[in-house]
Amino acid sequence: MHQTERLEEFKKSVQNKFNVYNSLFLNLPYRNIENVGMVVPLLHHQSVQGLNQGLNPQNILESFFKNYVMIEDEKDQIDFMFRIIQYVERQVVLYDSVEDAAFPKLQEHSDSLSIKDYFQLVNKTKSWDKVAEKLSNFSARIVLTAHPTQFYTPAVLDIMNDLRLLILENKIDDIDVTLQQLGLTSLINSQKPTPLDEAKNIIYILRHVYYDAMGDLYAYIKENIDNDDFENHNIMKLGFWPGGDRDGNPFVTAEITKNVADELRLNLMKCYYNDLKFLQQKLTFKEVQGPLKVLRNQLYSAMFNPENSISYQEIINPLMTMRDVLIKDYHGLYLGKLDHFIDKVKIFKTHFATLDIRQDHSQHVLVVETILKKNGFIKESIQELKKADLVKLLVQKKIKADPKDYKDIVKDTLLNISQLKEIQTKNGEEGCNRYIISNSEDIFSVLFVYGLFRWCGWKDDGISFDIVPLFETMNGMAEAEGIMQFLFDLPEYRKHLEQRKESQTMMLGFSDGTKDGGYVKANWSILKTKEQLSKVCKKNQIKALFFDGRGGPPARGGGKTHRFYAAQTKDIANNEIQLTIQGQTITSTYGTKEQFMHNSEQLLTAGLSNNLFGKENVISKEHRKLLEELSDLSYVKYDALKNHEMFIPYLENRSTLKYYQKANIGSRPGKRGNKKQLTLSDLRAISFVGSWSQLKQNVPGYFGIGTAIKTIRDSGRLRELKKMYREVPFFKALMHNSMMSLTKCYFELTSYMKEDAKYGGFWNILYEEYQLSKEMLLLISGTEVLMENEATSRESIQIRENIVLPLLVIQQYALQKIGQKTAYKEVYEKIVTRSLYGNINASRNSA
């Protein structure tokens, strides 16, 4: 029933409103957009009709130019296509705004478990003691990353916020004016952003959305919990990667990291100052005004000058004094408002969000090797040392690594590690206390970082950092358990863990795992690795914390995130949920206060419910065996594709892969290293998955599943598969996310490639597996259409795909023209690059 009501509300609040407001676009009075709106629906119709008839995009557009808009000159045709792209980009902004405005209404018809529902369920089961204990130390941490898939500038985000509010009140005239403003506002960066630019863009969202949203979420939990003494200000935490994530980004330097830490603190002080200004108008009492004024002046100084930092105690102590005075002398007047502010201060302290440091293991190899060479321990290579001798050097030997003695990446790495103490002094320890190592595949991924801290002057018992291995390749996951056991057995590292509250954070990377092993293999390997790591931590009396590197789309670990966490097995440590929020997911999933609160609630209830209510998630031996078989079969299929001679050439020459680097969407290069010959291992998962998305083929989100299921079905075990789909939440969540990937496919867009002499055979391999995967998923789920039980999401996807279809046809047309001899090759390349923006924004979790 909920689904029917939700769909009706969606049609009323989203579909109908979008159609009405979209009509305002038709006559926008600007030279470069004028009258385009009249022909976009016609181009969409011709595109659908042409693609269904097997015509290629070049045929469709040439016919359209000749028969419908009568544009013969190629330069004029190019100008027209740019105008279509600009128009579609703005349609996407409008649709996002309409859907965001409808979010609260749609949630009224949702089956999602809210915090309130969760607590009512607890009351019924009389399990408050168990829950109270869990609530006192449980937390969810969302970590905001700077991965280059967030295209809306602060100016556009402001317009979207205005539109959202106006749509809620249905102020048609004001909406018209705001759309005119949107028509004149540039939607893209004029030049490539620096890492500091990226950080400032996301800090803008922290300040204008998350600061109040986090405070309100905490107040909501306090209000609904049956515990007057509840005080877990870490129940929701924020992490931050922009400015600290150096993996594959040579532009993130020690200076950038310092500047971003300052920006986080300064912007938080501005938030505190504004709240205090409001409180000053209410707390007009003599004994309160004095300390309040002093604190406000301190905050004013601290929010403009990075050198004038103020400590957490200097903020919280006067506030607690004011609180005592209010209760004692002023009948607790406005105590609730003061307490709300105090809670915010206890949540954010002086850091706002924890700035993580991340670097690839290969760079640490270079740094350590250079230091050991300079100090005479090796001649050329670390390989000259025995494992035990290298371990001893790292955990016992006193070596002084002075940044002045080195250059380039070695110098900057040492400068950065040396300055982290200063960041902790100004922002508090929580301001920066995690160092993550990408591509961890052996013990030295962790020990190199431990050794570098020691060599940069940190005392053995004073390394106030969690050293976090990131297991993201198939090999890394296979070695993970042995790596951690070795580290736990190492006395020096074990002593370090004692300083870190006997806890160990371990990160699992979905993006590179999927790229390396395929969708099913990667996800199943991650679940098994988590179980193994939970076991080894429990055996060694270490608290295991898992940090998931999840992207926006299913192919990078995204999709329905809360469903994934609710499906974790009982053998996985459930002390905390930690995950990355990437790209446009920052604004699409957590972009408004309502969205932030709802999706944070979903994370919390998914994590808290696991192992507390009903049947624990257990995967039986029979189902494990079947999952293992599916994983292996799908991997064989994916691995064959990955090693196909046309795999890389197809991506290079028939997709938008190389154009991600040309778009001014992120500071990070599109691939690791500087090799001329492109290899899959060097490809960043974002551009890899994103390129498949632009082609509307979404290969990493399902490839191999169809073949695996068919193989097992053909052996007479279809009933087993259906049973597993019904009984194993992990498998069901995996298949649902794949259904989303398949729903977003549209092979008709590229069907012209099947006739290509060079790539036709490869395209057919992709298409056949798409068809088979769709057929097999419908078979085991017993449904007639993909996402049958998620009708609203399905409708939303369809509307978004319809909006961008003209843009995609133009993109394919431009790619075709680039492959032919044309005087306008560079301009067509600009069309391809520009077309990336609207498509990714429309998909909301496409890259």
Side-chain angles (χ1 to χ4, degrees):
M1 188 62 184
H2 270 305
Q3 178 164 247
T4 305
E5 292 170 352
R6 187 177 169 87
L7 188 57
E8 285 174 5
E9 183 62 50
F10 175 83
K11 287 178 177 175
K12 184 171 69 176
S13 298
V14 179
Q15 205 167 356
N16 293 346
K17 283 194 175 184
F18 173 69
N19 289 335
V20 170
Y21 301 139
N22 191 37
S23 66
L24 297 175
F25 269 127
L26 295 179
N27 294 301
L28 284 179
Y30 309 121
R31 184 194 61 77
N32 65 334
I33 294 182
E34 188 179 7
N35 297 326
V36 171
M38 299 290 193
V39 295
V40 167
L42 184 58
L43 177 56
H44 177 271
H45 175 75
Q46 292 302 115
S47 296
V48 172
Q49 196 174 58
L51 292 172
N52 286 338
Q53 291 171 359
L55 298 178
N56 71 48
Q58 192 165 350
N59 300 146
I60 292 167
L61 272 169
E62 285 174 353
S63 169
F64 188 76
F65 290 137
K66 181 181 177 183
N67 299 319
Y68 294 96
V69 288
M70 279 68 81
I71 303 175
E72 295 182 9
D73 182 73
E74 189 170 7
K75 192 175 178 185
D76 289 341
Q77 291 173 354
I78 288 169
D79 183 55
F80 176 83
M81 286 187 284
F82 271 117
R83 283 185 283 152
I84 292 282
I85 291 170
Q86 290 175 319
Y87 184 88
V88 170
E89 285 171 345
R90 284 157 177 79
Q91 279 188 302
V92 172
V93 173
L94 175 61
Y95 185 78
D96 281 348
S97 304
V98 172
E99 201 165 62
D100 289 346
F103 184 81
K105 278 274 187 190
L106 290 172
Q107 290 318 119
E108 292 175 12
H109 307 287
S110 169
D111 291 320
S112 302
L113 189 67
S114 69
I115 288 286
K116 199 179 216 173
D117 297 333
Y118 176 81
F119 290 153
Q120 285 174 354
L121 187 57
V122 174
N123 281 328
K124 283 181 187 174
T125 58
K126 308 295 182 190
S127 51
W128 261 117
D129 290 344
K130 196 174 180 182
V131 173
E133 183 186 350
K134 191 79 177 170
L135 279 170
S136 66
N137 54 39
F138 186 80
S139 72
R141 181 195 300 242
I142 59 172
V143 180
L144 310 168
T145 79
H147 290 20
T149 57
Q150 174 55 45
F151 300 123
Y152 292 140
T153 62
V156 175
L157 289 173
D158 277 340
I159 290 173
M160 290 175 71
N161 187 53
D162 289 345
L163 278 172
R164 185 170 59 86
L165 297 173
L166 293 170
I167 288 164
L168 282 170
E169 298 177 27
N170 206 25
K171 292 186 173 179
I172 195 84
D173 292 336
D174 292 332
I175 291 168
D176 188 19
V177 173
T178 308
L179 289 177
Q180 291 180 47
Q181 178 192 354
L182 177 63
L184 287 169
T185 302
S186 175
L187 269 65
I188 62 170
N189 298 312
S190 57
Q191 57 189 23
K192 229 172 180 37
T194 66
L196 186 58
D197 293 332
E198 291 172 328
K200 285 181 176 179
N201 281 348
I202 298 179
I203 289 171
Y204 175 90
I205 301 170
L206 280 179
R207 183 179 168 189
H208 294 281
V209 179
Y210 294 0
Y211 174 73
D212 283 331
M214 287 272 281
D216 288 356
L217 177 65
Y218 188 78
Y220 175 67
I221 292 169
K222 258 175 67 170
E223 183 186 335
N224 284 285
I225 194 170
D226 186 19
N227 181 359
D228 294 334
D229 299 322
F230 174 74
E231 191 167 348
N232 176 8
H233 291 92
N234 285 325
I235 196 161
M236 278 298 301
K237 294 191 279 192
L238 293 175
F240 202 80
W241 274 16
D245 182 7
R246 346 177 95 59
D247 177 15
N249 193 340
F251 307 113
V252 177
T253 62
E255 184 182 5
I256 288 286
T257 300
K258 178 183 178 297
N259 290 341
V260 170
D262 285 341
E263 281 289 327
L264 282 163
R265 188 182 67 258
L266 264 58
N267 276 274
L268 178 60
M269 295 305 118
K270 289 172 185 174
C271 292
Y272 286 167
Y273 180 84
N274 287 332
D275 270 3
L276 211 56
K277 194 162 95 174
F278 169 77
L279 276 172
Q280 198 169 14
Q281 295 169 357
K282 302 294 180 186
L283 306 180
T284 52
F285 320 122
K286 184 179 176 184
E287 286 82 355
V288 177
Q289 279 283 304
L292 198 153
K293 188 176 180 182
V294 171
L295 178 56
R296 189 175 164 191
N297 288 339
Q298 286 177 300
L299 289 171
Y300 186 82
S301 175
M303 72 190 201
F304 291 116
N305 187 346
E307 301 311 312
N308 292 346
S309 59
I310 178 172
S311 72
Y312 169 65
Q313 290 303 328
E314 287 174 311
I315 300 172
I316 200 69
N317 287 345
L319 290 173
M320 297 308 290
T321 301
M322 290 179 220
R323 188 179 192 278
D324 291 340
V325 171
L326 269 189
I327 294 170
K328 183 171 172 252
D329 299 330
Y330 296 100
H331 317 293
L333 196 60
Y334 294 121
L335 182 64
K337 293 188 185 301
L338 178 61
D339 278 348
H340 188 53
F341 179 54
I342 288 171
D343 281 335
K344 285 186 186 176
V345 174
K346 287 182 176 181
I347 290 167
F348 297 112
K349 298 185 174 68
T350 53
H351 63 279
F352 216 160
T354 300
L355 180 61
D356 286 344
I357 308 298
R358 183 171 79 131
Q359 180 57 287
D360 190 81
H361 175 53
S362 61
Q363 298 301 317
H364 296 141
V365 174
L366 172 65
V367 175
V368 170
E369 199 166 62
T370 305
I371 294 168
L372 292 178
K373 198 188 300 184
K374 182 173 182 61
N375 285 272
F377 292 101
I378 58 174
K379 289 180 180 178
E380 292 297 331
S381 168
I382 284 176
Q383 302 304 320
E384 298 163 26
L385 294 168
K386 291 179 181 175
K387 179 180 177 180
D389 293 335
L390 181 54
V391 170
K392 201 170 181 181
L393 282 172
L394 293 164
V395 301
Q396 293 179 8
K397 191 69 179 174
K398 298 286 185 186
I399 298 174
K400 187 178 180 185
D402 191 331
K404 293 196 294 289
D405 297 335
Y406 302 92
K407 56 185 181 180
D408 302 329
I409 183 69
V410 179
K411 179 179 182 177
D412 192 74
T413 301
L414 299 177
L415 276 172
N416 185 52
I417 292 174
S418 300
Q419 75 170 356
L420 295 176
K421 280 182 186 174
E422 183 189 348
I423 291 175
Q424 286 191 344
T425 300
K426 288 185 174 180
N427 289 31
E429 193 212 289
E430 287 177 69
C432 187
N433 62 2
R434 311 201 311 174
Y435 200 118
I436 299 153
I437 309 104
S438 305
N439 281 309
S440 293
E441 294 190 351
D442 60 35
I443 60 166
F444 294 110
S445 56
V446 170
L447 292 183
F448 281 176
V449 173
Y450 179 81
L452 286 171
F453 269 85
R454 294 182 66 251
W455 298 347
C456 285
W458 291 71
K459 292 179 181 177
D460 291 10
D461 61 354
I463 300 175
S464 49
F465 263 75
D466 296 325
I467 303 173
V468 182
L470 167 48
F471 302 114
E472 53 191 330
T473 62
M474 292 298 108
N475 186 53
M477 284 186 266
E479 298 293 329
E481 184 180 4
I483 290 169
M484 297 317 299
Q485 184 61 65
F486 182 95
L487 293 170
F488 295 155
D489 287 339
L490 193 64
E492 292 84 359
Y493 189 74
R494 185 62 195 239
K495 197 170 181 184
H496 166 67
L497 289 181
E498 287 173 17
Q499 310 292 329
R500 305 305 297 161
K501 300 179 181 175
E502 297 281 10
S503 66
Q504 173 68 55
T505 303
M506 296 153 288
M507 190 172 178
L508 284 300
F510 286 76
S511 298
D512 283 291
T514 303
K515 187 183 75 172
D516 189 30
Y519 183 65
V520 179
K521 179 80 169 176
N523 280 275
W524 177 232
S525 297
I526 286 168
L527 184 132
K528 288 190 299 178
T529 303
K530 279 187 172 183
E531 290 179 335
Q532 291 159 2
L533 291 173
S534 298
K535 185 179 177 182
V536 77
C537 285
K538 188 176 182 181
K539 184 175 81 174
N540 289 276
Q541 297 181 302
I542 298 292
K543 183 180 180 182
L545 300 174
F546 291 115
F547 178 20
D548 294 316
R550 304 175 70 84
R556 290 189 18 247
K560 301 289 185 181
T561 305
H562 61 278
R563 185 188 289 153
F564 166 83
Y565 284 108
Q568 299 290 280
T569 66
K570 71 177 184 65
D571 295 319
I572 294 175
N574 185 37
N575 301 302
E576 191 168 310
I577 284 177
Q578 300 183 18
L579 71 157
T580 53
I581 303 294
Q582 302 183 4
Q584 72 270 44
T585 312
I586 292 172
T587 48
S588 67
T589 310
Y590 294 88
T592 66
K593 186 190 286 189
E594 293 83 3
Q595 288 171 328
F596 179 92
M597 291 182 68
H598 171 77
N599 286 300
S600 295
E601 279 189 70
Q602 294 307 292
L603 277 183
L604 287 169
T605 54
L608 289 167
S609 298
N610 204 357
N611 303 348
L612 284 180
F613 297 122
K615 198 166 96 176
E616 292 179 329
N617 285 336
V618 179
I619 304 178
S620 68
K621 284 183 181 178
E622 292 75 20
H623 285 149
R624 280 181 177 273
K625 189 178 175 186
L626 189 54
L627 270 167
E628 197 70 49
E629 198 173 344
L630 273 170
S631 168
D632 290 343
L633 286 167
S634 67
Y635 176 69
V636 168
K637 182 71 175 177
Y638 175 76
D639 195 50
L641 182 78
K642 195 174 71 171
N643 290 302
H644 193 287
E645 60 179 354
M646 287 295 120
F647 188 79
I648 293 294
Y650 181 82
L651 278 173
E652 279 194 291
N653 301 310
R654 287 292 181 270
S655 83
T656 58
L657 181 66
K658 64 182 81 167
Y659 300 96
Y660 270 80
Q661 182 60 20
K662 296 180 180 182
N664 293 327
I665 57 177
S667 65
R668 186 200 304 264
K671 66 185 182 75
R672 294 181 174 99
N674 298 307
K675 298 176 196 166
K676 285 187 178 179
Q677 185 70 34
L678 182 66
T679 62
L680 185 61
S681 59
D682 288 336
L683 258 185
R684 300 216 67 90
I686 287 166
S687 48
F688 174 69
V689 173
S691 297
W692 290 114
S693 173
Q694 295 280 334
L695 283 166
K696 291 299 161 194
Q697 294 174 350
N698 295 329
V699 164
Y702 63 84
F703 197 89
I705 286 175
T707 294
I709 293 174
K710 182 178 183 297
T711 303
I712 291 172
R713 182 203 67 176
D714 290 349
S715 66
R717 290 180 291 158
L718 177 60
R719 185 177 292 179
E720 289 178 46
L721 285 166
K722 287 187 172 185
K723 188 170 187 281
M724 185 162 71
Y725 178 82
R726 288 194 307 272
E727 296 179 2
V728 180
F730 166 76
F731 179 62
K732 190 172 187 176
L734 211 56
M735 296 303 101
H736 277 209
N737 277 342
S738 262
M739 288 183 194
M740 185 192 294
S741 292
L742 289 162
T743 301
K744 291 184 178 182
C745 286
Y746 189 55
F747 270 82
E748 289 87 343
L749 179 69
T750 55
S751 64
Y752 70 93
M753 291 186 193
K754 66 186 173 189
E755 308 300 335
D756 190 291
K758 188 173 182 180
Y759 298 108
F762 186 79
W763 185 91
N764 276 301
I765 291 172
L766 303 178
Y767 182 60
E768 285 165 11
E769 186 64 19
Y770 156 74
Q771 291 276 59
L772 184 60
S773 297
K774 183 177 173 182
E775 180 190 346
M776 291 298 109
L777 285 175
L778 291 175
L779 179 67
I780 64 167
S781 64
T783 55
E784 294 183 10
V785 294
L786 294 171
M787 299 179 70
E788 184 172 279
N789 298 318
E790 297 173 77
T792 306
S793 295
R794 197 175 69 242
E795 284 293 316
S796 178
I797 288 170
Q798 191 55 54
I799 292 170
R800 290 175 177 278
E801 298 298 320
N802 281 334
I803 291 171
V804 295
L805 183 61
L807 181 150
L808 290 169
V809 170
I810 287 170
Q811 183 186 90
Q812 285 296 316
Y813 172 76
L815 285 168
Q816 286 181 278
K817 294 290 280 187
I818 290 165
Q820 300 161 6
K821 288 186 178 179
T822 171
Y824 295 100
K825 184 183 176 186
E826 287 186 13
V827 188
Y828 283 116
E829 287 180 337
K830 285 180 181 176
I831 284 179
V832 175
T833 304
R834 183 61 186 271
S835 67
L836 298 175
Y837 297 80
N839 186 34
I840 289 181
N841 283 336
S843 294
R844 281 208 154 181
N845 69 357
S846 66

